Amino acid sequence: VNQGRVADGSEMLREALKQDPMHVPARQLLVRLVLELRQTEAAMTLLENGLEILPAQIGWAMSLARLQAERGDYTAAWKTLQHSEPAAAGNADYQGFAGHVLLRLGKSREAAEHFRHALRSSPADGRWWLGLGLAFEADGRVDEAREAWQTARRSTNLTPDLQRLVEQKLK
C-alpha cells in the first residue's frame, strides 16, 4: 500500500482478515482503502463484519452509521449505534451523533437524552447544545430550546454554518 500497490495491498489485507478476523489494524486500513476508492458497499460490509466480532469498536460503529445516514437510512444507523452503545457511554461524539440520528427519526426526547450524555463528557461543545436545542424545539419546549441555543452561541467550536443556524434559531 505504501508503495502505491493498492490492489495488491488490499488483497493481502483481505487475506489477513480471513486468517484473523479480529485483526483491527488490517480491517481499519482496508476500510480506509475501499472508501478512498469510493467502494461504499465494500466498506460497509467490512465494518458490519468487524462489528459482529468486536462490537466495542465504537469508531467502526460511528463510521458505519455515518455511511448509513448519508444514504438516508437512519433506522439502520440507529440499529448500528445501539449495537455498540454499551461501549460508548462516555464518548461525547458517539452520544451526540446518536442524538442527531434520533432527531432524524423523530424521537426528540430520546435525542435530548443523548445530547445530555454528550454534554456530560464535553460541556462546552456547541454542537451538542445546538442539538439539544433542536430536540427541545421538536418536543415543544421552546424556552429550554432558546437557553440551549444561547449556550451554543457562546461556544467557540461551531462551524460558520452551525453558528448561522444558531443565530437563525435565536431570531
Side-chain angles (χ1 to χ4, degrees), residues 29 37 40-41 44 50 60 69 74 86 98 111-112 118 125 132 136 141-142 145:
L29 180 54
L37 295 171
T40 306
E41 287 295 326
M44 291 174 73
W60 294 351
Y74 290 97
D125 195 321
L132 184 61
F136 284 154
R141 298 160 65 181
V142 180

Side-chain angles (χ1 to χ4, degrees), residues 1-128:
V1 171
N2 289 338
Q3 295 173 356
R5 296 173 34 211
V6 176
D8 292 341
S10 295
E11 190 54 41
M12 292 179 82
L13 290 167
R14 288 182 200 287
E15 189 57 39
L17 289 175
K18 284 180 187 172
Q19 292 178 26
D20 181 4
M22 295 177 70
H23 195 277
V24 173
R27 188 173 302 276
Q28 287 178 199
L29 180 54
L30 187 54
V31 167
R32 192 186 89 211
L33 290 175
V34 297
L35 283 173
E36 286 175 2
L37 295 171
R38 302 194 192 294
Q39 297 173 354
T40 306
E41 287 295 326
M44 291 174 73
T45 299
L46 284 164
L47 292 166
E48 287 168 352
N49 293 341
L51 286 169
E52 286 176 20
I53 300 165
L54 298 168
Q57 286 289 337
I58 60 174
W60 294 351
M62 288 179 62
S63 293
L64 178 57
R66 276 192 171 83
L67 292 170
Q68 293 164 327
E70 285 173 9
R71 293 181 162 194
D73 192 352
Y74 290 97
T75 301
W78 176 235
K79 283 183 183 180
T80 296
L81 293 171
Q82 281 182 301
H83 182 70
S84 297
E85 191 170 18
N91 186 297
D93 287 334
Y94 190 97
Q95 295 297 326
F97 184 55
H100 169 75
V101 169
L102 286 164
L103 263 180
R104 292 295 190 139
L105 289 171
K107 299 179 179 188
S108 57
R109 288 184 186 193
E110 292 164 315
E113 283 306 310
H114 282 275
F115 287 122
R116 283 189 187 109
H117 285 296
L119 286 164
R120 283 188 201 113
S121 299
S122 187
D125 195 321
R127 297 173 300 165
W128 313 144

